[in-house]
Amino acid sequence: MKKTVTSSVLAIAAIFALYAFSPSAADVFKVDTSKSRISWTGQNVAGGKHTGTINISKGELAAVGGTLTGGSFTAAINSIAVTDLEGGRATKLADHLKSEDFFDAPKFPEATFKITKVGGSGSDATITGDLTIKGITKSITFPAVVHQSASGVHATATGIKIDRTKFDIKYRSGNFFSDLGDRAISDEFLLAIEIVAAK
């Protein structure tokens, strides 16, 4: 009898210990694709530039105890749009960006970003994650501003530098083609990301 009571006490103690040391369950927030967006800026070596947007098609963010801990989102490559041009010129450039010279949308219709680490919080957050473009994955790190409430998360980041050549986008890259002159396009393009997510 004493042995049975002792075993029961130990079992109860083990259960309490398990709950005491188990990590808190994460709150998951679904990305609102109608309010979230990616803006891009690309330029040539002569200083001319183009701007545009890419739609976010899906995603979610996770937080524990009010702190962002993870998440991911997907960008629809076929949604690439140009905002500094109008009409046929904008359409022509957007179609070129979707072609094999750049993002090859028919073969790689999606680009993804998955958070692997979050440092800091609020206006001093630093996000590290795996960016996948054209089936190639590279880790990137950038500063961000993250605001969270019980009902949602709002995260923004600007000036994110991406080296396109690391994702096999080498069209008119001065590092791979000579004699381009002013026709060379910078290897880096910039992203600005705004994510709005809610339960």
Side-chain angles (χ1 to χ4, degrees), residues 6-8 18-19 26-27 40 58 61 65-66 71 88 95-96 103 111 120 129 133 136 140 147 153 166 169 187 197:
T6 301
S7 298
S8 299
L18 178 63
Y19 278 102
D27 291 319
W40 59 265
K58 60 183 177 181
L61 298 177
D95 287 344
H96 193 194
F103 294 94
I133 299 174
I136 300 170
I140 62 172
H147 295 295
V153 178
K166 292 183 177 181
I169 304 173
D187 287 346

Side-chain angles (χ1 to χ4, degrees), residues 150-186:
S151 59
V153 178
H154 182 211
T156 58
T158 60
I160 304 171
K161 295 181 179 180
I162 306 297
D163 184 343
R164 63 188 177 93
T165 63
K166 292 183 177 181
F167 299 92
D168 196 31
I169 304 173
K170 301 173 183 176
Y171 181 77
R172 289 191 184 177
S173 167
N175 286 323
F176 292 89
F177 302 96
S178 59
D179 301 323
L180 290 173
D182 289 345
R183 297 186 302 119
I185 299 172
S186 174

Side-chain angles (χ1 to χ4, degrees), residues 15-151:
I15 292 172
F16 276 109
L18 178 63
Y19 278 102
F21 292 100
S22 293
S24 300
D27 291 319
V28 177
F29 303 87
K30 185 177 180 180
V31 172
D32 185 337
T33 57
S34 68
K35 297 179 180 178
S36 302
R37 69 180 62 193
I38 301 172
S39 300
W40 59 265
T41 301
Q43 65 180 40
N44 59 33
V45 295
K49 68 179 182 179
H50 291 293
T51 60
T53 59
I54 309 173
N55 293 341
I56 293 174
S57 59
K58 60 183 177 181
E60 63 181 25
L61 298 177
V64 174
T67 301
L68 182 68
T69 57
S72 64
F73 62 83
T74 299
I77 298 302
N78 273 310
S79 71
I80 290 176
V82 177
T83 56
D84 67 297
L85 300 174
E86 296 181 352
R89 295 178 64 200
T91 300
K92 183 177 180 179
L93 177 53
D95 287 344
H96 193 194
L97 293 172
K98 299 172 192 177
S99 74
E100 292 182 1
D101 285 341
F102 289 96
F103 294 94
D104 199 358
K107 187 175 181 180
F108 303 100
E110 295 181 336
T112 61
F113 180 72
K114 182 178 181 181
I115 297 173
T116 57
K117 181 181 179 181
V118 180
S121 62
S123 59
D124 294 317
T126 300
I127 295 177
T128 297
D130 292 333
L131 176 64
T132 300
I133 299 174
K134 296 181 71 172
I136 300 170
T137 301
K138 300 292 182 180
S139 178
I140 62 172
T141 299
F142 52 87
V145 177
V146 181
H147 295 295
Q148 183 185 340
S149 65
S151 59

